[in-house]
Amino acid sequence: MTLSESETETRAATAAAPARGARIRPPRPSDKPNGQWKIDGTEPLNANEQFKQDDSGLNVRERIENVYAQGGFASIDPTDLHGRFRWWGLYTQRKPGIDGGKTATLEPHELEDEYFMLRVRIDGGQLTTEQLRTIGGISTDFARGTADLTDRQNIQLHWVRVEDVPEIWRRLEAVGLATTEACGDVPRVVLGSPVAGIAADELIDPTPQIDEITSRFIGDPELANLPRKFKTAITGHPSQDVVHEINDVAFVGVTHPELGVGYDVWVGGALAAVPRLGERLGAWAAPDQVAEVWHGVASIFRDYGYRRLRNKARLKFLLADWGVEKFRDVLETEYLGYRLADGPAAPKPLTIGDHVGVHRQKDGRRYVGATPIVGRTSGEQLTALADLLEAHGSTRLRTTPHQKLVFLDIEEDRVEPLIAGLDALGLSARPSLIRRGTIACTGIEFCKLAIVETKENARKAVLELEERLAGLDLDAPLSLHVNGCPNSCARIQTADIGLKGQIITDDEGNKVPGYQVHLGGGLTSNERDEAGLGRTVRGLKVSATGIADYVERVASRFAEGRVGEESFAQWAHRVDEEVLR
């Protein structure tokens, strides 16, 4: 099938559009192969590629259940421990007491404890109260009560022993949950709109597409050896509530003027230490095409992704090399076997996409979005939440990409009693703007890559700022994202105020935990037409104990100096650097 003249012009315009915030280059020309399977062959070019070819990460489950759970931590083969365990959602956690300054100098075995972080995979964020109660019970019985909501809609547990993993899997799978490919060089959890199928203003329910992708392809050996992680997001809600611009592949609900409601296709987004925002292919996918398009993009990554250098092995580097026009052509000609229709971009959102507060469902009932502080919960709290929801007539809830929870199917006369019950459990449906906008990664408490504490520092800052900013004229949530290292699990480059953990020098010349500051980033929202990365000010760093002081200072200057309806991000990119210090 050949392209029409109009299709060719549309694609050329899409390809010529600037990559907003792009800061990466493809690998430099070299005599060495890049490890692209379809070009260079499949010979492993580094230790990571070798262990993946020696034995699939999916195969380690049998050894965990039948060997390591009986023999304990000391019995675990090192390659399984530091590699294949990830395919089942398991990472060793950081040994307590190791200073952040040693993160980059110690070997993995010197940093790790004999306990694991276990990531429960929750595609689309969809949970029942039975599932929530099961996670809460596992947390209480096997994870010292830990339970953190992630910005990938998962729940992470800590202090897990390998001896307990088979029983944890048994309990999870009995209620339809799993940890399959929750980590590793595989298709990770599929982000989905937290209000899929229920919101009154939804364009399309993406649940059937999420279900088809996960049922057909998660755990598929053909996709269990990708160059690196592969992240997906799908939404049919006009708030564009799944951070689609920073996923490897994303589908955003949109109405085609001739073909009806379907999805705008995005590829190549990711943050980490070298951020790049995703780009539109200019292609429209019908609902029944989404799974095949997803599979085509994942297969391109498998076959053409760069494998020689692990720090260049994300899809964003291939897209930077190819451009969207070539990427779309390869997708259609080599993998789909047909041309996708050209399609429009989704319009700018009119509402905030975190779904906090009370909102109407399609059926006239209400859903209620609430936030803990920086995503930290506990097994006891999750169990109590399940009881509370059922007491108010609901058995369904959702996790979100913003470390929030959304409770579904609430009758109007039960909304206020539910909110009161949530407040008693430490969850707020009417949070302050700073509590609503703050997220944090795992940090040095458990993560071997971290340099600085995050959760506790951010929690203390939120509580202080709720008092300090109480009288300030802020009309939208101020996003404060706190990350323990450069890898940006908490999306520091797309926050109003992003804090990147590092060791800094204080005024007395001492090396102390602190953060580099990023300002004015954000994803497409009701406040901005398109995503953009934050700016950094040379030398602008804050200590771990100085978060509240800095945020109060810069927020006050914004409130005093903004022009008209100017957003924080617009103000932060406009003013002189000295104003931001």
Side-chain angles (χ1 to χ4, degrees):
M1 180 179 179
T2 58
L3 297 177
S4 69
E5 184 176 345
S6 61
E7 285 175 321
T8 302
E9 291 172 352
T10 299
R11 293 189 186 187
T14 301
R20 294 159 293 112
R23 295 181 180 177
I24 69 172
R25 296 184 179 92
R28 293 178 180 177
S30 170
D31 292 335
K32 296 181 180 179
N34 283 317
Q36 296 171 278
W37 279 3
K38 273 207 169 183
I39 296 173
D40 305 313
T42 60
E43 183 70 23
L45 298 180
N46 57 51
N48 279 284
E49 290 301 306
Q50 186 66 60
F51 88 72
K52 289 189 291 182
Q53 284 207 24
D54 288 345
D55 188 30
S56 170
L58 295 175
N59 294 338
V60 79
R61 174 162 177 161
E62 187 274 335
R63 292 191 289 279
I64 292 173
E65 292 180 317
N66 299 320
V67 179
Y68 305 142
Q70 280 70 47
F73 189 88
S75 70
I76 304 172
D77 175 86
T79 305
D80 284 346
L81 181 66
H82 300 123
R84 300 183 189 96
F85 267 46
R86 300 173 191 173
W87 271 243
W88 292 94
L90 290 158
Y91 281 98
T92 51
Q93 67 186 40
R94 188 187 189 93
K95 187 180 297 182
I98 299 178
D99 181 82
K102 296 180 180 178
T103 296
T105 61
L106 296 179
E107 295 296 322
H109 70 275
E110 296 177 291
L111 287 165
E112 70 190 6
D113 208 345
E114 295 187 359
Y115 296 93
F116 293 88
M117 178 274 285
L118 179 68
R119 184 175 293 158
V120 181
R121 182 179 181 127
I122 307 171
D123 291 285
Q126 300 192 14
L127 285 171
T128 66
T129 49
E130 180 187 27
Q131 292 171 327
L132 187 68
R133 187 177 288 108
T134 296
I135 297 172
I138 291 169
S139 167
T140 301
D141 293 345
F142 303 115
R144 301 189 187 181
T146 58
D148 286 342
L149 304 174
T150 78
D151 56 13
R152 297 293 304 175
Q153 293 185 285
N154 297 310
I155 295 177
Q156 290 182 178
L157 311 177
H158 299 280
W159 298 109
V160 172
R161 303 184 315 145
V162 71
E163 292 91 336
D164 297 323
V165 170
E167 173 61 15
I168 292 172
W169 281 338
R170 187 195 67 78
R171 293 192 192 184
L172 289 173
E173 290 166 4
V175 294
L177 292 172
T179 69
T180 313
E181 296 184 336
C183 314
D185 297 351
V186 292
R188 302 285 184 90
V189 66
V190 178
L191 294 187
S193 171
V195 295
I198 63 157
D201 55 346
E202 181 179 58
L203 286 174
I204 185 172
D205 178 4
T207 303
Q209 286 76 59
I210 295 172
D211 289 346
E212 185 177 2
I213 289 169
T214 55
S215 64
R216 289 178 60 184
F217 303 121
I218 301 308
D220 179 359
E222 293 297 314
L223 293 175
N225 180 0
L226 301 178
R228 285 287 299 275
K229 68 183 82 170
F230 182 76
K231 295 183 176 182
T232 305
I234 307 178
T235 184
H237 194 266
S239 67
Q240 299 177 28
D241 49 4
V242 292
V243 297
H244 63 276
E245 303 100 325
I246 55 174
N247 282 263
D248 294 285
V249 63
F251 300 86
V252 179
V254 66
T255 301
H256 191 286
E258 298 171 357
L259 301 173
V261 179
Y263 296 91
D264 186 31
V265 184
W266 290 66
V267 296
L271 293 179
V274 184
R276 191 179 202 275
L277 296 171
E279 298 184 64
R280 296 182 57 240
L281 284 186
W284 179 90
D288 62 0
Q289 293 175 319
V290 166
E292 291 303 323
V293 172
W294 180 93
H295 184 259
V297 175
S299 300
I300 287 175
F301 183 42
R302 177 194 63 201
D303 298 341
Y304 287 104
Y306 303 130
R307 293 174 181 261
R308 180 172 66 89
L309 299 175
R310 194 156 174 81
N311 63 352
K312 298 288 186 181
R314 291 295 300 275
L315 185 65
K316 60 186 174 183
F317 294 98
L318 181 67
L319 182 67
D321 191 2
W322 280 9
V324 292
E325 186 173 15
K326 177 177 178 179
F327 194 101
R328 180 172 172 180
D329 185 64
V330 171
L331 172 66
E332 293 171 335
T333 57
E334 293 189 32
Y335 292 87
L336 295 179
Y338 58 86
R339 298 294 192 185
L340 293 165
D342 292 333
K348 176 184 175 181
L350 300 177
T351 57
I352 299 175
D354 65 4
H355 303 296
V356 169
V358 181
H359 310 268
R360 192 173 72 84
Q361 296 185 178
K362 293 177 181 180
D363 61 9
R365 292 183 289 181
R366 303 294 188 267
Y367 64 89
V368 178
T371 179
I373 299 181
V374 298
R376 175 136 287 177
T377 63
S378 68
E380 181 181 8
Q381 186 183 53
L382 297 183
T383 301
L385 272 175
D387 294 341
L388 178 68
L389 266 184
E390 290 175 358
H392 289 80
S394 173
T395 60
R396 296 196 297 164
L397 69 153
R398 305 277 169 84
T399 56
T400 84
H402 304 281
Q403 296 182 348
K404 310 293 188 284
L405 289 167
V406 178
F407 308 105
L408 314 185
D409 307 329
I410 309 299
E411 297 291 347
E412 187 172 6
D413 63 354
R414 303 303 299 161
V415 168
E416 292 304 323
L418 173 66
I419 290 175
L422 292 172
D423 285 336
L425 290 176
L427 289 154
S428 178
R430 298 184 177 108
S432 67
L433 293 179
I434 192 68
R435 183 180 300 208
R436 182 172 180 174
T438 302
I439 67 174
C441 73
T442 300
I444 201 170
E445 182 181 9
F446 297 118
C447 179
K448 300 191 298 293
L449 299 178
I451 302 167
V452 180
E453 170 59 42
T454 53
K455 293 285 190 185
E456 184 60 17
N457 290 345
R459 185 190 72 84
K460 289 178 179 178
V462 166
L463 295 177
E464 287 188 43
L465 288 164
E466 285 182 327
E467 295 184 11
R468 298 189 193 186
L469 302 182
L472 205 62
D473 182 23
L474 298 175
D475 54 8
L478 187 66
S479 58
L480 171 64
H481 294 189
V482 184
N483 213 78
C485 77
N487 286 312
S488 200
C489 294
R491 309 196 297 257
I492 52 172
Q493 301 99 330
T494 58
D496 288 323
I497 304 172
L499 302 180
K500 180 177 73 176
Q502 57 185 222
I503 301 300
I504 67 171
T505 303
D506 66 14
D507 293 338
E508 286 74 42
N510 301 309
K511 298 292 185 181
V512 298
Y515 307 91
Q516 182 188 52
V517 181
H518 296 251
L519 293 161
L523 301 175
T524 304
S525 69
N526 60 312
E527 285 199 315
R528 59 188 304 154
D529 293 330
E530 61 178 20
L533 302 177
R535 67 183 286 193
T536 57
V537 176
R538 185 180 298 275
L540 178 54
K541 299 173 184 179
V542 301
S543 70
T545 57
I547 297 174
D549 291 338
Y550 176 74
V551 174
E552 179 186 20
R553 182 165 67 249
V554 75
S556 298
R557 290 174 180 173
F558 162 62
E560 295 167 2
R562 67 190 299 196
V563 176
E565 298 299 313
E566 191 174 36
S567 69
F568 182 91
Q570 291 169 329
W571 173 82
H573 281 281
R574 174 178 63 82
V575 299
D576 293 337
E577 289 187 354
E578 287 306 311
V579 179
L580 301 173
R581 293 187 183 276

